[in-house]
Coordinates of all heavy atoms in Angstrom, one line a residue:
W1 N 14.5 34.2 -51.6 CA 13.4 35.1 -51.9 C 12.5 34.3 -52.9 O 11.3 34.3 -52.7 CB 13.9 36.4 -52.5 CG 12.9 37.3 -53.0 CD1 11.7 37.7 -52.3 CD2 12.8 38.0 -54.2 NE1 11.0 38.6 -53.1 CE2 11.7 38.8 -54.3 CE3 13.7 38.0 -55.3 CZ2 11.4 39.6 -55.3 CZ3 13.4 38.8 -56.4 CH2 12.2 39.6 -56.4
V2 N 13.0 33.8 -54.0 CA 12.2 33.1 -55.0 C 11.7 31.8 -54.4 O 10.5 31.4 -54.6 CB 13.1 32.9 -56.3 CG1 12.3 32.0 -57.3 CG2 13.5 34.2 -56.9
G3 N 12.5 31.1 -53.6 CA 12.1 29.9 -53.0 C 10.9 30.1 -52.0 O 9.9 29.4 -52.0
A4 N 11.0 31.2 -51.2 CA 9.9 31.5 -50.3 C 8.7 32.0 -51.1 O 7.6 31.6 -50.7 CB 10.4 32.7 -49.4
A5 N 8.8 32.7 -52.2 CA 7.7 33.0 -53.0 C 7.0 31.8 -53.6 O 5.8 31.7 -53.6 CB 8.1 34.0 -54.1
Y6 N 7.8 30.8 -54.0 CA 7.2 29.6 -54.5 C 6.5 28.9 -53.3 O 5.3 28.3 -53.6 CB 8.3 28.7 -55.0 CG 7.8 27.3 -55.4 CD1 7.0 27.2 -56.5 CD2 8.0 26.2 -54.6 CE1 6.5 25.9 -56.9 CE2 7.5 24.9 -55.0 CZ 6.7 24.8 -56.1 OH 6.2 23.6 -56.4
L7 N 7.0 28.8 -52.1 CA 6.3 28.2 -51.0 C 5.0 28.9 -50.7 O 4.0 28.3 -50.4 CB 7.2 28.1 -49.8 CG 8.4 27.1 -49.9 CD1 9.2 27.3 -48.6 CD2 7.9 25.7 -50.0
F8 N 5.0 30.2 -50.7 CA 3.8 31.0 -50.6 C 2.8 30.6 -51.7 O 1.6 30.5 -51.4 CB 4.0 32.5 -50.6 CG 4.2 33.0 -49.2 CD1 5.4 33.7 -48.9 CD2 3.2 32.9 -48.2 CE1 5.5 34.2 -47.6 CE2 3.4 33.4 -46.9 CZ 4.6 34.1 -46.6
F9 N 3.2 30.5 -52.9 CA 2.4 30.1 -54.0 C 1.7 28.8 -53.7 O 0.5 28.6 -53.9 CB 3.2 30.2 -55.3 CG 2.4 29.6 -56.5 CD1 1.4 30.3 -57.0 CD2 2.8 28.4 -57.0 CE1 0.7 29.7 -58.1 CE2 2.1 27.8 -58.1 CZ 1.1 28.5 -58.6
V10 N 2.5 27.8 -53.3 CA 2.0 26.5 -53.0 C 1.1 26.5 -51.8 O 0.0 25.9 -51.9 CB 3.2 25.5 -52.8 CG1 2.7 24.2 -52.3 CG2 4.0 25.3 -54.0
F11 N 1.4 27.2 -50.8 CA 0.6 27.1 -49.5 C -0.7 28.0 -49.6 O -1.7 27.6 -49.1 CB 1.4 27.6 -48.3 CG 2.6 26.8 -47.9 CD1 3.6 27.3 -47.3 CD2 2.6 25.4 -48.2 CE1 4.7 26.6 -46.9 CE2 3.7 24.6 -47.8 CZ 4.7 25.2 -47.2
E12 N -0.6 29.1 -50.3 CA -1.7 30.1 -50.3 C -2.5 30.3 -51.5 O -3.4 31.1 -51.6 CB -1.2 31.4 -49.8 CG -0.5 31.4 -48.5 CD -1.4 31.0 -47.3 OE1 -2.6 31.4 -47.4 OE2 -0.9 30.4 -46.3
R13 N -2.2 29.6 -52.6 CA -2.9 29.9 -53.9 C -4.4 29.6 -53.9 O -5.1 30.2 -54.6 CB -2.2 29.2 -55.1 CG -2.3 27.7 -55.1 CD -1.6 27.1 -56.2 NE -1.5 25.7 -56.0 CZ -0.6 24.9 -56.6 NH1 0.2 25.4 -57.5 NH2 -0.6 23.6 -56.3
E14 N -4.8 28.6 -53.1 CA -6.2 28.3 -53.0 C -6.9 28.8 -51.8 O -8.0 28.4 -51.5 CB -6.3 26.7 -53.1 CG -5.8 26.2 -54.4 CD -5.8 24.7 -54.5 OE1 -6.2 24.0 -53.5 OE2 -5.3 24.1 -55.5
N15 N -6.2 29.7 -51.1 CA -6.8 30.3 -49.9 C -7.7 31.5 -50.3 O -7.2 32.5 -50.8 CB -5.7 30.7 -49.0 CG -6.2 31.3 -47.6 OD1 -7.4 31.4 -47.4 ND2 -5.2 31.6 -46.8
P16 N -9.0 31.4 -50.1 CA -9.9 32.5 -50.5 C -9.7 33.7 -49.6 O -10.1 34.8 -50.0 CB -11.3 31.9 -50.4 CG -11.1 30.8 -49.4 CD -9.8 30.2 -49.5
A17 N -9.2 33.6 -48.4 CA -9.1 34.7 -47.5 C -8.0 35.7 -48.0 O -8.1 36.9 -47.6 CB -8.7 34.2 -46.1
V18 N -7.1 35.4 -48.9 CA -6.1 36.3 -49.3 C -6.4 37.0 -50.7 O -5.7 37.7 -51.2 CB -4.7 35.7 -49.4 CG1 -4.2 35.3 -48.0 CG2 -4.6 34.5 -50.3
D19 N -7.6 36.6 -51.2 CA -8.2 37.3 -52.3 C -7.2 37.3 -53.6 O -7.0 38.3 -54.2 CB -8.5 38.8 -52.0 CG -9.5 39.4 -53.0 OD1 -10.2 38.6 -53.6 OD2 -9.4 40.6 -53.2
G20 N -6.6 36.1 -53.8 CA -5.8 36.0 -55.0 C -4.5 36.6 -55.0 O -3.8 36.7 -56.0
A21 N -4.0 37.0 -53.8 CA -2.7 37.6 -53.7 C -1.5 36.7 -54.1 O -0.5 37.2 -54.5 CB -2.5 38.2 -52.3
F22 N -1.8 35.4 -54.0 CA -0.7 34.4 -54.3 C -1.1 33.5 -55.4 O -0.7 32.3 -55.4 CB -0.4 33.6 -53.0 CG 0.1 34.5 -51.9 CD1 -0.7 34.9 -50.9 CD2 1.4 34.9 -51.9 CE1 -0.3 35.7 -49.9 CE2 1.9 35.7 -50.8 CZ 1.0 36.1 -49.8
E23 N -1.9 34.0 -56.4 CA -2.4 33.1 -57.4 C -1.3 32.8 -58.5 O -1.5 31.9 -59.3 CB -3.6 33.8 -58.1 CG -3.3 35.1 -58.8 CD -4.6 35.7 -59.3 OE1 -5.7 35.3 -58.9 OE2 -4.5 36.7 -60.1
N24 N -0.2 33.6 -58.5 CA 0.9 33.3 -59.4 C 2.2 33.7 -58.8 O 2.2 34.3 -57.7 CB 0.7 34.0 -60.8 CG 0.5 35.5 -60.6 OD1 1.2 36.1 -59.8 ND2 -0.3 36.1 -61.5
I25 N 3.3 33.2 -59.4 CA 4.6 33.4 -58.8 C 5.0 34.9 -58.7 O 5.5 35.4 -57.6 CB 5.7 32.6 -59.5 CG1 5.4 31.1 -59.4 CG2 7.1 32.9 -59.0 CD1 5.6 30.5 -58.1
P26 N 4.8 35.7 -59.7 CA 5.2 37.2 -59.6 C 4.4 37.9 -58.5 O 5.0 38.7 -57.7 CB 4.8 37.8 -61.0 CG 4.9 36.6 -61.9 CD 4.4 35.4 -61.1
N27 N 3.1 37.6 -58.3 CA 2.4 38.2 -57.1 C 3.0 37.7 -55.8 O 3.2 38.5 -54.9 CB 0.9 37.9 -57.2 CG 0.2 38.7 -58.3 OD1 0.8 39.5 -58.9 ND2 -1.0 38.3 -58.5
S28 N 3.3 36.4 -55.8 CA 4.0 35.9 -54.6 C 5.3 36.5 -54.3 O 5.6 36.8 -53.1 CB 4.1 34.4 -54.7 OG 2.9 33.7 -54.9
M29 N 6.1 36.8 -55.3 CA 7.4 37.4 -55.1 C 7.2 38.9 -54.6 O 8.0 39.3 -53.7 CB 8.2 37.5 -56.4 CG 8.6 36.1 -56.9 SD 9.4 36.1 -58.5 CE 10.9 36.9 -58.1
Y30 N 6.2 39.5 -55.0 CA 5.9 40.9 -54.5 C 5.6 40.9 -53.0 O 6.2 41.6 -52.2 CB 4.7 41.5 -55.3 CG 4.3 42.8 -54.7 CD1 5.0 44.0 -54.9 CD2 3.1 42.9 -53.9 CE1 4.6 45.2 -54.3 CE2 2.7 44.1 -53.4 CZ 3.4 45.2 -53.6 OH 3.0 46.4 -53.0
Y31 N 4.7 40.0 -52.6 CA 4.4 39.9 -51.2 C 5.6 39.4 -50.3 O 5.8 39.8 -49.2 CB 3.1 39.1 -50.9 CG 1.9 39.9 -51.3 CD1 1.2 39.6 -52.5 CD2 1.4 40.9 -50.4 CE1 0.1 40.4 -52.8 CE2 0.3 41.6 -50.8 CZ -0.4 41.3 -51.9 OH -1.5 42.1 -52.3
T32 N 6.3 38.5 -50.9 CA 7.5 38.0 -50.2 C 8.5 39.1 -50.0 O 9.1 39.2 -48.9 CB 8.2 36.8 -51.0 OG1 7.2 35.8 -51.2 CG2 9.3 36.2 -50.3
A33 N 8.7 40.0 -50.9 CA 9.6 41.1 -50.7 C 9.1 42.0 -49.6 O 9.9 42.6 -48.8 CB 9.7 41.9 -52.0
I34 N 7.8 42.2 -49.5 CA 7.2 43.0 -48.4 C 7.5 42.3 -47.1 O 7.9 43.0 -46.1 CB 5.7 43.2 -48.7 CG1 5.5 44.2 -49.9 CG2 5.0 43.8 -47.4 CD1 4.1 44.3 -50.3
F35 N 7.3 41.0 -47.0 CA 7.5 40.3 -45.8 C 9.0 40.4 -45.4 O 9.3 40.5 -44.2 CB 7.0 38.9 -45.9 CG 5.6 38.7 -46.2 CD1 5.1 37.7 -46.9 CD2 4.7 39.6 -45.7 CE1 3.8 37.6 -47.2 CE2 3.3 39.5 -46.0 CZ 2.9 38.5 -46.7
L36 N 9.9 40.4 -46.3 CA 11.3 40.4 -46.0 C 11.7 41.8 -45.5 O 12.8 42.0 -44.9 CB 12.2 40.1 -47.2 CG 12.3 38.6 -47.5 CD1 13.0 38.4 -48.8 CD2 13.2 38.0 -46.4
S37 N 10.9 42.8 -45.7 CA 11.2 44.1 -45.2 C 10.7 44.2 -43.7 O 10.9 45.3 -43.1 CB 10.5 45.2 -46.0 OG 9.1 45.2 -45.8
G38 N 10.1 43.2 -43.2 CA 9.7 43.2 -41.8 C 8.2 43.5 -41.6 O 7.7 43.6 -40.5
E39 N 7.5 43.7 -42.7 CA 6.0 44.0 -42.6 C 5.2 42.8 -42.8 O 5.6 41.8 -43.4 CB 5.7 45.0 -43.8 CG 6.3 46.3 -43.6 CD 5.8 47.1 -42.5 OE1 4.6 47.0 -42.1 OE2 6.6 47.9 -41.9
W40 N 4.0 42.7 -42.2 CA 3.1 41.6 -42.3 C 1.9 42.1 -43.0 O 1.0 42.7 -42.4 CB 2.8 41.1 -40.9 CG 2.0 39.9 -40.9 CD1 0.7 39.7 -41.3 CD2 2.4 38.6 -40.4 NE1 0.3 38.5 -41.1 CE2 1.3 37.7 -40.5 CE3 3.5 38.1 -39.8 CZ2 1.3 36.4 -40.1 CZ3 3.5 36.8 -39.4 CH2 2.4 36.0 -39.5
G41 N 1.9 42.0 -44.4 CA 0.8 42.6 -45.2 C -0.5 41.9 -45.1 O -1.6 42.5 -45.0
Q42 N -0.5 40.6 -45.3 CA -1.8 39.8 -45.3 C -1.7 38.9 -44.0 O -0.7 38.4 -43.6 CB -1.8 38.9 -46.5 CG -1.8 39.6 -47.8 CD -3.2 40.0 -48.3 OE1 -4.1 39.4 -47.7 NE2 -3.2 40.8 -49.2
V43 N -2.9 38.8 -43.3 CA -2.9 38.0 -42.1 C -3.7 36.8 -42.1 O -3.7 36.0 -41.1 CB -3.3 38.9 -40.9 CG1 -2.3 40.0 -40.6 CG2 -4.7 39.5 -41.1
D44 N -4.5 36.6 -43.1 CA -5.4 35.4 -43.1 C -4.7 34.2 -43.9 O -5.2 33.8 -44.9 CB -6.7 35.8 -43.8 CG -7.5 36.8 -42.9 OD1 -7.3 36.7 -41.7 OD2 -8.2 37.6 -43.5
F45 N -3.6 33.7 -43.4 CA -2.9 32.7 -44.0 C -3.3 31.3 -43.5 O -3.9 31.2 -42.4 CB -1.4 32.8 -43.8 CG -0.8 34.0 -44.4 CD1 0.1 34.7 -43.8 CD2 -1.0 34.3 -45.8 CE1 0.7 35.8 -44.4 CE2 -0.5 35.3 -46.4 CZ 0.4 36.1 -45.7
T46 N -3.0 30.3 -44.2 CA -3.1 28.9 -43.7 C -2.0 28.8 -42.6 O -1.1 29.6 -42.6 CB -2.9 27.9 -44.8 OG1 -1.6 28.1 -45.4 CG2 -3.9 28.1 -45.9
P47 N -2.1 27.7 -41.8 CA -1.0 27.6 -40.8 C 0.4 27.5 -41.4 O 1.3 28.1 -40.8 CB -1.4 26.2 -40.1 CG -2.9 26.1 -40.3 CD -3.1 26.8 -41.6
Y48 N 0.6 26.8 -42.5 CA 1.9 26.8 -43.1 C 2.4 28.2 -43.6 O 3.5 28.6 -43.5 CB 2.0 25.8 -44.2 CG 1.9 24.3 -43.8 CD1 0.9 23.5 -44.2 CD2 2.8 23.8 -42.9 CE1 0.8 22.2 -43.8 CE2 2.7 22.5 -42.5 CZ 1.7 21.7 -42.9 OH 1.6 20.4 -42.5
G49 N 1.4 28.9 -44.1 CA 1.7 30.3 -44.6 C 2.1 31.2 -43.4 O 2.9 32.0 -43.6
K50 N 1.4 31.0 -42.3 CA 1.7 31.8 -41.1 C 3.2 31.6 -40.6 O 3.9 32.5 -40.3 CB 0.7 31.6 -40.0 CG -0.6 32.1 -40.2 CD -1.6 31.8 -39.1 CE -3.0 32.3 -39.4 NZ -3.9 32.0 -38.3
I51 N 3.5 30.3 -40.6 CA 4.9 29.9 -40.2 C 5.9 30.5 -41.1 O 6.9 31.1 -40.7 CB 5.0 28.4 -40.1 CG1 4.2 27.9 -38.9 CG2 6.5 28.0 -39.9 CD1 4.0 26.4 -38.9
L52 N 5.7 30.4 -42.4 CA 6.6 30.9 -43.4 C 6.7 32.4 -43.3 O 7.8 33.0 -43.4 CB 6.1 30.5 -44.8 CG 7.0 31.0 -46.0 CD1 8.4 30.4 -45.8 CD2 6.4 30.5 -47.3
C53 N 5.6 33.1 -43.1 CA 5.6 34.5 -43.0 C 6.4 35.0 -41.7 O 7.1 35.9 -41.8 CB 4.2 35.1 -43.0 SG 4.2 36.9 -43.2
M54 N 6.2 34.3 -40.6 CA 6.9 34.6 -39.4 C 8.4 34.5 -39.6 O 9.2 35.3 -39.2 CB 6.5 33.7 -38.3 CG 5.1 34.2 -37.7 SD 4.7 33.3 -36.2 CE 4.0 31.8 -36.9
V55 N 8.8 33.4 -40.3 CA 10.2 33.2 -40.6 C 10.8 34.3 -41.5 O 11.9 34.9 -41.2 CB 10.5 31.8 -41.2 CG1 11.9 31.7 -41.8 CG2 10.2 30.7 -40.3
L56 N 10.0 34.7 -42.5 CA 10.5 35.8 -43.4 C 10.6 37.1 -42.7 O 11.5 37.9 -42.9 CB 9.6 35.9 -44.6 CG 9.7 34.8 -45.6 CD1 8.7 35.0 -46.7 CD2 11.1 34.8 -46.2
V57 N 9.6 37.4 -41.8 CA 9.6 38.7 -41.1 C 10.8 38.8 -40.2 O 11.5 39.8 -40.1 CB 8.3 38.9 -40.4 CG1 8.3 40.1 -39.4 CG2 7.2 39.2 -41.4
V58 N 11.1 37.7 -39.4 CA 12.2 37.7 -38.5 C 13.5 37.8 -39.3 O 14.4 38.5 -38.9 CB 12.2 36.4 -37.7 CG1 13.5 36.2 -36.9 CG2 11.0 36.5 -36.7
A59 N 13.6 37.1 -40.4 CA 14.8 37.2 -41.3 C 14.9 38.6 -41.8 O 16.1 39.1 -41.9 CB 14.7 36.1 -42.4
G60 N 13.9 39.2 -42.2 CA 13.9 40.6 -42.7 C 14.4 41.5 -41.7 O 15.2 42.4 -42.0
I61 N 13.9 41.4 -40.5 CA 14.3 42.3 -39.4 C 15.8 42.1 -39.1 O 16.6 43.0 -38.9 CB 13.5 42.0 -38.1 CG1 12.1 42.5 -38.4 CG2 14.1 42.8 -36.9 CD1 11.1 42.1 -37.3
G62 N 16.3 40.8 -39.2 CA 17.7 40.5 -39.0 C 18.5 41.1 -40.1 O 19.6 41.6 -39.9
L63 N 18.0 41.0 -41.3 CA 18.8 41.6 -42.5 C 19.0 43.1 -42.4 O 20.0 43.6 -42.7 CB 18.1 41.2 -43.8 CG 18.2 39.8 -44.2 CD1 17.4 39.5 -45.5 CD2 19.7 39.4 -44.6
Y64 N 17.9 43.8 -41.9 CA 18.0 45.2 -41.7 C 18.8 45.6 -40.5 O 19.4 46.7 -40.4 CB 16.7 45.9 -41.7 CG 16.0 46.0 -43.0 CD1 15.0 45.2 -43.4 CD2 16.5 46.9 -44.0 CE1 14.4 45.3 -44.6 CE2 15.9 47.0 -45.2 CZ 14.9 46.2 -45.5 OH 14.3 46.3 -46.8
S65 N 18.8 44.8 -39.5 CA 19.5 45.2 -38.2 C 21.0 45.1 -38.4 O 21.7 45.9 -37.7 CB 19.1 44.3 -37.1 OG 19.6 43.0 -37.3
I66 N 21.6 44.3 -39.3 CA 23.0 44.3 -39.5 C 23.6 45.6 -40.0 O 24.5 46.2 -39.4 CB 23.4 43.1 -40.3 CG1 23.1 41.8 -39.6 CG2 24.9 43.1 -40.7 CD1 23.2 40.5 -40.5
P67 N 23.1 46.1 -41.1 CA 23.7 47.4 -41.6 C 23.3 48.6 -40.6 O 24.2 49.5 -40.5 CB 23.1 47.6 -42.9 CG 22.0 46.6 -43.1 CD 22.2 45.6 -42.1
V68 N 22.2 48.5 -40.0 CA 21.8 49.6 -39.1 C 22.8 49.6 -37.9 O 23.3 50.6 -37.4 CB 20.4 49.5 -38.7 CG1 20.1 50.5 -37.5 CG2 19.5 49.8 -39.8
G69 N 23.1 48.4 -37.4 CA 24.0 48.3 -36.3 C 25.4 48.8 -36.6 O 26.1 49.4 -35.8
A70 N 25.8 48.4 -37.8 CA 27.2 48.9 -38.3 C 27.2 50.4 -38.4 O 28.2 51.0 -38.1 CB 27.5 48.2 -39.6
L71 N 26.1 51.0 -38.9 CA 26.0 52.4 -39.1 C 26.1 53.1 -37.7 O 26.9 54.1 -37.6 CB 24.7 52.8 -39.8 CG 24.5 54.3 -40.1 CD1 25.5 54.7 -41.2 CD2 23.1 54.5 -40.6
F72 N 25.3 52.7 -36.8 CA 25.4 53.3 -35.5 C 26.7 53.1 -34.8 O 27.2 53.9 -34.0 CB 24.2 52.8 -34.6 CG 22.9 53.6 -34.9 CD1 21.9 52.9 -35.6 CD2 22.7 54.9 -34.6 CE1 20.7 53.6 -36.0 CE2 21.6 55.5 -34.9 CZ 20.6 54.9 -35.6
D73 N 27.3 52.0 -35.0 CA 28.6 51.7 -34.4 C 29.7 52.7 -35.0 O 30.5 53.2 -34.3 CB 29.1 50.3 -34.7 CG 30.3 49.9 -34.0 OD1 30.5 50.2 -32.8 OD2 31.2 49.3 -34.6
A74 N 29.6 53.0 -36.3 CA 30.5 53.9 -36.9 C 30.2 55.3 -36.3 O 31.2 56.1 -36.1 CB 30.3 53.9 -38.4
F75 N 29.0 55.7 -36.1 CA 28.7 57.0 -35.5 C 29.2 57.1 -34.1 O 29.7 58.1 -33.7 CB 27.2 57.3 -35.5 CG 26.6 57.8 -36.8 CD1 25.6 57.2 -37.4 CD2 27.1 59.0 -37.3 CE1 25.1 57.7 -38.6 CE2 26.6 59.5 -38.5 CZ 25.6 58.9 -39.1
G76 N 29.1 56.0 -33.4 CA 29.7 56.0 -32.0 C 31.2 56.2 -32.0 O 31.7 56.9 -31.2
E77 N 31.9 55.6 -33.0 CA 33.3 55.7 -33.0 C 33.7 57.2 -33.4 O 34.6 57.7 -32.9 CB 33.9 54.8 -34.1 CG 33.9 53.3 -33.7 CD 34.3 52.4 -34.7 OE1 34.8 52.8 -35.8 OE2 34.2 51.2 -34.5
V78 N 32.9 57.8 -34.3 CA 33.2 59.2 -34.7 C 33.0 60.1 -33.5 O 33.8 61.0 -33.2 CB 32.3 59.6 -35.8 CG1 32.4 61.1 -36.1 CG2 32.7 58.9 -37.1
L79 N 31.9 59.9 -32.7 CA 31.6 60.7 -31.5 C 32.7 60.5 -30.4 O 33.1 61.5 -29.8 CB 30.2 60.4 -31.0 CG 29.1 60.8 -31.9 CD1 27.8 60.4 -31.3 CD2 29.1 62.3 -32.1
E80 N 33.2 59.3 -30.3 CA 34.2 59.0 -29.3 C 35.5 59.7 -29.7 O 36.2 60.3 -28.9 CB 34.5 57.5 -29.2 CG 33.4 56.8 -28.4 CD 33.7 55.3 -28.4 OE1 34.7 54.8 -28.8 OE2 32.8 54.6 -27.9
G81 N 35.8 59.8 -31.0 CA 36.9 60.5 -31.5 C 36.9 61.9 -31.2 O 37.9 62.6 -30.9
K82 N 35.7 62.5 -31.4 CA 35.5 64.0 -31.1 C 35.7 64.3 -29.6 O 36.3 65.3 -29.3 CB 34.1 64.4 -31.5 CG 33.9 64.7 -33.0 CD 32.6 65.3 -33.3 CE 32.5 65.7 -34.7 NZ 31.3 66.4 -35.0
D83 N 35.2 63.4 -28.8 CA 35.4 63.6 -27.3 C 36.9 63.5 -27.0 O 37.4 64.3 -26.2 CB 34.7 62.5 -26.5 CG 33.2 62.7 -26.6 OD1 32.8 63.8 -26.9 OD2 32.5 61.7 -26.3
E84 N 37.7 62.6 -27.6 CA 39.1 62.5 -27.3 C 39.8 63.7 -27.8 O 40.8 64.2 -27.2 CB 39.7 61.2 -28.0 CG 39.2 60.0 -27.3 CD 39.6 58.7 -28.1 OE1 40.3 58.8 -29.1 OE2 39.2 57.6 -27.6
D85 N 39.4 64.2 -29.0 CA 40.0 65.5 -29.5 C 39.8 66.7 -28.6 O 40.7 67.5 -28.4 CB 39.5 65.8 -30.9 CG 40.0 64.7 -32.0 OD1 41.0 64.0 -31.7 OD2 39.4 64.7 -33.0
E86 N 38.6 66.8 -28.1 CA 38.3 67.9 -27.2 C 39.1 67.8 -25.9 O 39.5 68.8 -25.4 CB 36.7 67.9 -26.9 CG 35.9 68.3 -28.1 CD 34.4 68.2 -27.8 OE1 34.0 67.8 -26.7 OE2 33.6 68.5 -28.7
D87 N 39.2 66.5 -25.4 CA 40.0 66.4 -24.2 C 41.5 66.8 -24.4 O 42.1 67.4 -23.6 CB 40.0 64.9 -23.7 CG 38.6 64.5 -23.1 OD1 37.8 65.4 -22.8 OD2 38.3 63.3 -23.1
E88 N 42.0 66.4 -25.6 CA 43.4 66.8 -25.9 C 43.5 68.3 -26.0 O 44.5 68.9 -25.6 CB 43.8 66.1 -27.2 CG 44.1 64.6 -27.1 CD 44.4 64.0 -28.4 OE1 44.6 64.7 -29.4 OE2 44.4 62.7 -28.4
D89 N 42.5 69.0 -26.6 CA 42.6 70.4 -26.7 C 42.5 71.1 -25.4 O 43.2 72.1 -25.1 CB 41.4 70.9 -27.6 CG 41.6 70.6 -29.1 OD1 42.7 70.3 -29.5 OD2 40.5 70.6 -29.8
E90 N 41.7 70.6 -24.4 CA 41.6 71.1 -23.1 C 42.9 71.0 -22.4 O 43.4 71.9 -21.7 CB 40.5 70.5 -22.3 CG 39.1 70.9 -22.8 CD 38.0 70.1 -22.0 OE1 38.3 69.5 -21.0 OE2 36.9 70.3 -22.4
K91 N 43.6 69.9 -22.5 CA 44.9 69.7 -21.9 C 46.0 70.6 -22.4 O 46.8 71.1 -21.7 CB 45.4 68.2 -22.1 CG 44.6 67.2 -21.3 CD 45.0 65.8 -21.5 CE 44.2 64.8 -20.7 NZ 44.6 63.4 -21.0
K92 N 45.9 70.9 -23.7 CA 46.9 71.8 -24.3 C 46.7 73.2 -23.8 O 47.6 74.0 -23.7 CB 46.8 71.8 -25.9 CG 47.3 70.5 -26.4 CD 47.2 70.5 -28.0 CE 47.6 69.2 -28.6 NZ 47.4 69.2 -30.0
N93 N 45.4 73.6 -23.6 CA 45.1 75.0 -23.2 C 45.4 75.2 -21.7 O 45.5 76.4 -21.3 CB 43.6 75.3 -23.4 CG 43.3 75.4 -24.9 OD1 44.2 75.7 -25.7 ND2 42.1 75.1 -25.3
Q94 N 45.6 74.2 -20.9 CA 45.9 74.4 -19.5 C 47.3 74.6 -19.2 O 48.3 74.7 -19.5 CB 45.5 73.1 -18.7 CG 44.0 73.0 -18.7 CD 43.5 71.8 -17.9 OE1 44.3 71.0 -17.4 NE2 42.2 71.6 -17.8

C-alpha cells in the first residue's frame, strides 16, 4: 500500500490533470486505499499511473473476493446441512 502510494506520488505529482491529488505521500496513500477497494477515483493519469491503478484495482477486487467467496461457501454448507436434516426428518415420519 505504501509502496504503491509512493509510486503514484512519483508518477503523478506533476500531472496537472489530477489537480494536486498526489502532491504528497499522505494524499497518495488516501487515493491508493480507494483504488485498493476496487474503485477508480481519478482517470486522467499518465500511462504509468494508469497501469499502476489497473494493477491496484484488480488486486483490490481479488482481495475482496477471497473473504466473500469463503462467506458464501459457508452459507452453502449451512443450507446443504438444512436440506439433509429435512430429508432425515421426512424419512423418520414415513
Side-chain angles (χ1 to χ4, degrees):
W1 175 50
V2 176
Y6 174 73
L7 288 175
F8 267 121
F9 171 71
V10 170
F11 295 152
E12 302 295 329
R13 69 179 165 200
E14 296 174 4
N15 185 356
V18 294
D19 196 30
F22 300 99
E23 65 188 11
N24 55 37
I25 298 291
N27 286 353
S28 298
M29 290 175 70
Y30 172 75
Y31 283 103
T32 302
I34 291 173
F35 299 145
L36 278 172
S37 70
E39 295 292 328
W40 185 295
Q42 299 272 344
V43 293
D44 295 330
F45 293 135
T46 61
Y48 290 121
K50 288 179 183 180
I51 292 169
L52 181 60
C53 192
M54 284 187 277
V55 168
L56 285 176
V57 167
V58 169
I61 292 169
L63 287 173
Y64 282 109
S65 67
I66 293 170
V68 168
L71 182 69
F72 280 106
D73 187 44
F75 277 124
E77 290 175 7
V78 169
L79 292 175
E80 287 176 7
K82 281 188 173 184
D83 289 341
E84 291 173 2
D85 291 342
E86 289 175 1
D87 291 341
E88 290 175 11
D89 290 342
E90 287 178 10
K91 288 179 183 178
K92 288 179 185 178
N93 291 334
Q94 289 178 358

